Amino acid sequence: MTRRHPGGRRGALAAAALTTALAALATGCGSAESPDGPERPAQAGKPEATDSGAKTSDRARTPEGTLLVTDFGADTVTFVDPDEGPVDSVKVGTAPYGLAVGEDGRAWVATAEGVAVVDTERRRLLDVVRYETGNLGPATYGEYRGGGMGIALAPDGDHVYVGVNVPGDDGTVEAVDTRTLKVTGTAETGRRPFDVDVSRDGSEVYATGHDGFDVTVVRAASMEKSRRIEVAPYGTEGGLGSWLKPHYAAVRPSDGRLLLPFEGERLVVVDPRTGKSRIERMTANTHQHGATVTEDGTLLAVGTGPIDPATDEGPSLTVRSPDGKEKVIPLDGPHETAEVSEDGRTAYVTGGFTRDGYWDGITVVDLDSGDTRRLPAGRRPLGIAVL
């Protein structure tokens, strides 16, 4: 999922407002995941260390509250006015997936070719850090493409950690020094590291291996693999063809446990220090992907739609309070990840989706009323941040 460097007033405001919104609301993978077919890449090509056309001195600074999305169906990130839609784009590299934004305004974008560094204030590409992991194949598009997937910043902002998919093999997580822009360490992970998270104290990195049914724990200081934790509440039957695999995780602020939603039915709560987990009931009954958590512990989980249309529910956004109460807000069509506005009253849910059925926009969700509206946003928007 997308992450902003923690700290500042954004987290506190969002948590307080979302708690109020939840109080108001309270009143009211079975068959194989096949590779994507040919995509229609827009502006495919190698990234260039330039902005998208205007000179830096000509650019007004990006307004606070602007959305930034990765265009998984192109080679750009798009800046989106939350009321009007796209306002600008910057080339970053083929099929950008996850992103993380630091307090210094730099965005770190996981592409098929490397980690792109973007100045979000001036909207220009600063650099691209190439992966050290080998056997990634050609830079291409689609769910199974090699290269970067999940990405997260350390709490101190000194390193960014990116999960790298190696087609047909176990993945890796690479550490990039944010000052020198050099890869400083690599550790092996499970297959297809959909998501990467960092512990609250910055001592551990967690890579969620979608096709490995696992979370890999890595010591941040040494970049050594510490342990593998199996996360398979439905078992591992079906292997690579199973739908019932982990996708995204969120680190709960109160105790550092990992929250992984499955199928709108089960929330796996993992203690990464011990490897032990427990399962809590969820209520959406839909295939779930993106997960994010606010500072007060409210979990937002994105439902992509039914595995079996005869028995399962459609796409949705689950808003789950720390005490386990849930509000399920229906969405129109599949979505992938979500982010929350600074005031905590609005969620932005990307329509990119890693599988077929994606669309080129964002659903804007009013968390007080549950009302939704669609907003155009780039090409197959996947990762998202609020600037």
Side-chain angles (χ1 to χ4, degrees):
M1 65 158 281
T2 304
R3 284 168 183 83
R4 171 175 284 276
H5 181 69
R9 63 190 184 92
R10 181 184 301 276
L13 285 172
L18 189 51
T19 300
T20 302
L22 282 167
L25 285 171
T27 63
C29 335
S31 60
E33 295 189 25
S34 59
D36 294 84
E39 291 206 24
R40 46 189 181 98
Q43 308 175 52
K46 296 293 183 182
E48 302 172 1
T50 62
D51 61 24
S52 58
K55 295 180 180 179
T56 301
S57 59
D58 295 336
R59 288 186 178 278
R61 290 187 178 273
T62 303
E64 186 175 350
T66 299
L67 309 176
L68 180 66
V69 298
T70 58
D71 296 324
F72 193 53
D75 63 353
T76 51
V77 291
T78 293
F79 293 79
V80 182
D81 182 301
D83 295 316
E84 303 296 332
V87 296
D88 202 358
S89 64
V90 175
K91 279 192 174 186
V92 292
T94 305
Y97 187 99
L99 79 157
V101 181
E103 290 298 324
D104 60 2
R106 287 186 297 173
W108 304 83
V109 186
T111 80
E113 300 159 58
V115 176
V117 189
V118 177
D119 178 344
T120 64
E121 291 190 350
R122 292 298 189 183
R123 303 193 299 281
R124 61 188 300 265
L125 180 66
L126 300 176
D127 211 332
V128 176
V129 183
R130 305 293 175 173
Y131 303 120
E132 291 195 352
T133 302
N135 300 317
L136 301 184
T140 187
Y141 296 84
E143 180 182 1
Y144 290 84
R145 65 116 172 97
M149 299 189 75
I151 192 167
L153 270 166
D156 61 11
D158 286 348
H159 289 85
V160 65
Y161 303 97
V162 57
V164 182
N165 179 43
V166 180
D169 206 343
D170 289 339
T172 67
V173 61
E174 296 191 7
V176 176
D177 187 307
T178 58
R179 292 162 295 186
T180 66
L181 302 185
K182 302 292 185 182
V183 175
T184 58
T186 301
E188 185 177 281
T189 70
R191 289 195 173 198
R192 278 214 293 163
F194 250 60
D195 197 20
V196 173
D197 297 88
V198 183
S199 64
R200 301 283 287 184
D201 63 5
S203 65
E204 293 186 328
V205 180
Y206 311 122
T208 301
H210 177 265
D211 287 357
F213 295 90
D214 59 17
V215 171
T216 299
V217 181
V218 176
R219 297 184 184 93
S222 62
M223 286 302 291
E224 294 178 351
K225 180 178 177 179
S226 174
R227 68 189 73 88
R228 172 190 179 270
I229 303 172
E230 183 175 283
V231 185
Y234 295 88
T236 60
E237 186 177 354
L240 295 179
S242 173
W243 284 84
L244 307 175
K245 296 180 282 191
H247 292 87
Y248 297 82
V251 178
R252 188 161 61 188
S254 61
D255 58 11
R257 282 167 170 72
L258 300 178
L259 307 177
L260 297 99
F262 282 79
E263 307 309 316
E265 296 176 335
R266 304 177 185 184
L267 178 68
V268 181
V269 182
V270 178
D271 183 341
R273 307 287 180 172
T274 66
K276 295 181 179 179
S277 64
R278 70 172 187 275
I279 297 174
E280 299 179 2
R281 178 177 176 268
M282 297 189 77
T283 61
N285 188 28
T286 187
H287 189 55
Q288 285 176 320
H289 275 210
T292 190
V293 66
T294 65
E295 283 299 314
D296 75 340
T298 297
L299 175 70
L300 281 75
V302 180
T304 69
I307 292 176
D308 182 353
T311 59
D312 302 334
E313 299 295 331
S316 63
L317 177 67
T318 292
V319 185
R320 181 184 177 92
S321 63
D323 62 4
K325 294 180 180 178
E326 291 186 350
K327 176 67 176 181
V328 179
I329 301 171
L331 299 175
D332 181 12
H335 292 68
E336 186 70 19
T337 63
E339 192 54 89
V340 181
S341 63
E342 181 178 359
D343 64 10
R345 297 188 179 279
T346 306
Y348 303 102
V349 195
T350 59
F353 192 34
T354 54
R355 295 184 53 80
D356 292 338
Y358 61 85
W359 56 284
D360 296 338
I362 295 168
T363 293
V364 182
V365 182
D366 185 312
L367 293 172
D368 286 307
S369 66
D371 293 340
T372 64
R373 62 180 173 88
R374 283 193 164 201
L375 183 71
R379 295 289 297 277
R380 197 174 183 175
L382 207 66
I384 185 168
V386 181
L387 302 178

